[in-house]
Amino acid sequence: MAFDWNDLGRPVNHDEVEITLIGPGFGECLVLHVGGGRWITVDSCVDSQDQVDRRPVAERYLRGVGVDLESQVDLVIATHWHADHVRGLGRLVDVCRNATFSCAQSLVKEEFQVFVEEMSTASAATDGAKLRDFREAIRHLYSRQQVIRFATAGKTLKSWGAGTIGHAGGCQVRALSPSDKEYQLFLLEIAQAAPKVRNSKRSATARTPNLASVVLHVQFETFALLLGADMETHHDPLRGWTAAILEGTGLQVRPASLIKVPHHGSATGHHDQMWSQLLEPRPIGLVTPFNSLPDGKKLPTAADISRLTSHTSRLISSSQRPTTSTRGRDPAVERSLRESQIQIRDLATPFGMVRCRKQPGAAWNFEVFQPAAELTWHPVNGS
Amino acid sequence: MIAARGESTATALVGRPSFRSQTTATPLDQLNFLSPGSYAKLPASYQSGIDSWISAKQSSDLPIQYEPDSFEDWPPAPSQTKTTQLVTVVEGDNNRETSHLLAEWHGQVTEILGDVFKAELRGTHGVGVVGKQEEALIPIDDVQPDDIDLFVDGAFFRLCISYEVSATGVRRRCTTVVFRRLPAYRREELEDARRVGQEIARGLRLE
């Protein structure tokens, strides 16, 4: 089925769990129906192919399937402040006005709020799109005194009782990261990046927010989900996946049967123990593609797909891998770029969606909205 | 006088410094293209011509420098352009050149990586370029030593590809990275920002 905002199919049933991954466009977004008409959104992006409607895709999707955002969205989560995860976040927080907002603790600390305001001084020229959406979201939360449940490793962000969501056992959303060490390092990094008097104004740039992103574990009575955000591995056991895995095993979380693959399926997002300790054998994998510079590779690479398909029963990508599109440019421009050794890649990738629904006691049912597609591994040249 | 300009340029193509003639509506900052080094190499008679032209500009109603309200507004929108008079520096009868812009992007440096830097681009001019959001890897060689103080994470620049035609009809392509010299952070505004940031952080309803 081709992706069409005007044809999103039937609304979810009251007792169904739904996880829908939308994107990548400019970023990615995930919405989750935990049952009983209660919804969570994770990250935010806009449809890069639609130059007219710039609303966040979570809003467009939920309205499209008949959800009242004001009364039915309980939790809005921003896993980290990378631009490809927060586009439209301000608007999303605005329209989900009764939802609890959740992000890493470091992002609501005074140090980061001061950094956001400093980078936004005098002119919007200096903050680009990077902090604008996050700043707008925080300002809505501040002015409305909306609850922010900040995320730290091991903390429950939201739970619903069985009576609330229409199926036995209820649901619990927990953060497995960021670790305490990551929290400290992030604040230190922000202090170093803070603008100084007489320095030329500039845009905010994110150095290592992936390690400070929020990995989520969503537990139901008979199954669980692992949402890997952009978490990556790190040699320090107190950082990255090693720390998140330690947290998860310490909490004795249920191994998940479905994973939103971390960091676009990259090798840096892979950790063997994540697969062996936080997941059931051969879970279902959902992944969003991404252009990876500077090495020029597109994620997931062929090697990534090979690795991921060996770990999963099914691997579904929300879109095709981005192409290096030069179509339409003047040939003289192409020659100049080549001669100057300048590589340019389109950030906007074809926009798709994969929707997984599950009735209590039944298997997952998949709907793939093209260009979303199931990824399979075909060895080439004996590899 | 040249140092007063709001930006400086780095040109991938090595060539003799030259003036570009502009007869159409042109953003003012496109006229500011000479680096201090190339200015210094010009004969004194040319320098005085340039100085008097800049003095005339500075005494006119229109400001030479344009300070944008936002990244998207830079360079000036069409309403903030002016029709410039023909500016010609004669280096002999055959040295008059015309420049034709083929493609232009606005960029922000997102990461500096050894011998290249990574940037986000937004296409603003050219077939197949306008409106696209792209990511680029650009050799650091394209950054002139004059621009090193501007070349930091988060710096704004413009990438232009044009071709120049000499009076004798010789055409050459030119790739240019133009770094933007934004105003500096002032103590008062950082103090204000700190106060607002602290107030917001302390007023959030955290659980």
Side-chain angles (χ1 to χ4, degrees):
Chain A
M1 185 190 304
F3 181 75
D4 179 358
W5 283 115
N6 297 314
D7 184 14
L8 296 172
R10 71 165 173 86
V12 70
N13 291 334
H14 192 74
D15 60 348
E16 266 181 324
V17 170
E18 173 186 318
I19 177 167
T20 298
L21 183 60
I22 313 170
F26 296 128
E28 64 184 60
C29 173
L30 187 148
V31 293
L32 174 62
H33 178 246
V34 296
R38 314 314 304 169
W39 290 84
I40 299 171
T41 70
V42 181
D43 291 334
S44 182
C45 69
V46 297
D47 183 350
S48 55
Q49 314 287 304
D50 191 338
Q51 297 300 318
V52 179
D53 194 334
R54 308 305 287 168
R55 289 178 300 163
V57 298
E59 178 189 355
R60 297 180 72 178
Y61 175 77
L62 292 174
R63 288 200 198 283
V65 293
V67 174
D68 176 19
L69 282 85
E70 205 166 316
S71 63
Q72 288 184 256
V73 177
D74 286 342
L75 188 58
V76 173
I77 301 173
T79 61
H80 58 302
W81 67 280
H82 252 166
D84 62 329
H85 290 255
V86 297
R87 292 258 176 128
L89 184 67
R91 160 99 187 173
L92 188 60
V93 167
D94 188 25
V95 294
C96 300
R97 54 184 54 228
N98 291 307
T100 296
F101 178 74
S102 194
C103 64
Q105 183 183 11
S106 50
L107 301 187
V108 290
K109 291 296 289 181
E110 187 173 304
E111 292 88 334
F112 189 71
Q113 290 307 313
V114 168
F115 175 75
V116 169
E117 293 302 319
E118 286 177 338
M119 295 306 293
S120 309
T121 52
S123 165
T126 53
D127 71 354
K130 295 186 180 66
L131 288 171
R132 192 177 299 150
D133 283 297
F134 189 80
R135 183 179 185 229
E136 186 185 338
I138 290 291
R139 287 187 168 228
H140 284 309
L141 296 161
Y142 170 77
S143 61
R144 283 198 216 125
Q145 285 296 288
Q146 213 166 325
V147 173
I148 301 175
R149 190 152 175 84
F150 61 80
T152 54
K155 185 172 178 176
T156 298
L157 302 182
K158 188 83 182 171
S159 59
W160 295 262
T164 322
I165 58 172
H167 50 81
C171 173
Q172 186 177 26
V173 179
R174 275 188 286 206
L176 301 186
S177 67
S179 66
D180 289 346
K181 182 164 187 177
E182 210 58 61
Y183 165 79
Q184 298 291 348
L185 289 170
F186 183 84
L187 293 182
L188 187 64
E189 188 178 285
I190 288 301
Q192 289 167 344
K196 311 279 188 299
V197 175
R198 289 190 294 279
N199 280 4
S200 188
K201 286 183 177 173
R202 58 191 164 81
S203 167
T205 51
R207 294 269 185 183
T208 56
N210 288 346
L211 294 171
S213 64
V214 182
V215 171
L216 297 163
H217 184 269
V218 187
Q219 187 156 321
F220 296 88
E221 187 185 26
T222 56
F223 65 97
L225 317 170
L226 183 66
L227 310 180
D230 270 358
M231 184 57 81
E232 296 180 273
T233 50
H234 196 275
H235 58 82
D236 184 340
L238 300 178
R239 304 183 67 188
W241 266 116
T242 315
I245 293 160
L246 280 172
E247 195 64 46
T249 50
L251 291 168
Q252 295 184 306
V253 296
R254 173 189 293 280
S257 57
L258 185 149
I259 178 172
K260 202 291 276 181
V261 176
H263 199 231
H264 315 285
S266 75
T268 59
H270 176 85
H271 196 298
D272 280 335
Q273 287 180 316
M274 179 196 82
W275 294 97
S276 63
Q277 301 200 26
L278 297 183
L279 292 158
E280 289 179 356
R282 297 183 70 81
I284 293 150
L286 306 180
V287 64
T288 51
F290 188 68
N291 259 349
S292 175
L293 291 169
D295 57 8
K297 289 178 182 167
K298 301 160 197 166
L299 295 175
T301 63
D304 295 329
I305 294 171
S306 169
R307 173 174 41 78
L308 291 169
T309 50
S310 73
H311 282 88
T312 52
S313 56
R314 296 183 75 174
L315 179 65
I316 304 172
S317 171
S318 64
S319 180
Q320 305 292 321
R321 286 190 298 166
T323 55
T324 307
S325 172
T326 60
R327 277 180 302 175
R329 281 206 285 256
D330 189 317
V333 171
E334 286 307 310
R335 282 196 298 276
S336 291
L337 291 172
R338 266 199 310 276
E339 286 161 8
S340 304
Q341 297 183 305
I342 294 173
Q343 298 174 42
I344 295 187
R345 290 169 190 275
D346 203 339
L347 274 178
T349 47
F351 197 84
M353 182 172 91
V354 54
R355 181 161 66 192
C356 316
R357 285 175 170 171
K358 181 178 168 62
Q359 293 276 6
W364 285 100
N365 176 49
F366 300 95
E367 292 170 275
V368 177
F369 296 78
Q370 292 166 355
E374 184 153 4
L375 301 180
T376 51
W377 172 238
H378 300 290
V380 178
N381 297 331
S383 61
Chain B
M1 301 298 289
I2 295 299
R5 67 206 163 93
E7 57 191 25
S8 56
T9 65
T11 305
L13 237 171
V14 177
R16 186 170 43 188
S18 62
F19 259 135
R20 297 171 190 176
S21 302
Q22 302 283 353
T23 53
T24 55
T26 307
L28 282 167
D29 59 357
Q30 284 191 20
L31 298 176
N32 301 320
F33 55 88
L34 272 182
S35 71
S38 56
Y39 171 82
K41 289 175 192 164
L42 291 172
S45 57
Y46 298 167
Q47 289 181 359
S48 64
I50 294 165
D51 288 350
S52 56
W53 176 75
I54 290 174
S55 298
K57 290 289 146 207
Q58 286 182 327
S59 61
S60 72
D61 295 338
L62 291 161
I64 278 192
Q65 288 193 27
Y66 171 77
E67 297 299 338
D69 289 330
S70 73
F71 172 61
E72 285 74 14
D73 290 343
W74 182 81
S79 62
Q80 293 161 308
T81 64
K82 64 167 288 191
T83 302
T84 61
Q85 61 192 30
L86 184 67
V87 177
T88 308
V89 170
V90 180
E91 294 181 332
D93 289 340
N94 296 327
N95 283 331
R96 195 180 302 172
E97 291 187 346
T98 54
S99 177
H100 302 269
L101 187 63
L102 293 172
E104 180 187 62
W105 295 262
H106 294 172
Q108 294 175 42
V109 176
T110 53
E111 203 172 354
I112 299 168
L113 308 145
D115 56 353
V116 295
F117 69 91
K118 187 172 161 183
E120 284 180 11
L121 301 180
R122 189 172 61 84
T124 57
H125 179 88
V127 179
V129 172
V130 173
K132 284 193 173 176
Q133 297 210 18
E134 294 169 305
E135 195 166 37
L137 279 183
I138 301 172
I140 287 179
D141 290 350
D142 287 356
V143 181
Q144 276 196 339
D146 291 347
D147 286 350
I148 286 299
D149 62 325
L150 302 176
F151 179 54
V152 293
D153 277 346
F156 291 84
F157 67 92
R158 202 175 64 214
L159 170 64
C160 299
I161 293 174
S162 55
Y163 65 81
E164 294 178 352
V165 185
S166 74
T168 55
V170 176
R171 214 162 82 155
R172 63 177 188 180
R173 285 195 309 279
C174 183
T175 304
T176 313
V177 178
V178 184
F179 272 86
R180 170 87 180 132
R181 190 180 292 277
L182 285 168
Y185 290 103
R186 289 181 295 111
R187 184 178 304 282
E188 304 77 45
E189 64 186 0
L190 288 183
E191 283 171 356
D192 283 349
R194 171 164 289 278
R195 184 182 49 73
V196 172
Q198 286 173 337
E199 185 184 319
I200 289 174
R202 290 168 189 171
L204 294 174
R205 191 174 156 200
L206 303 178
E207 283 186 353

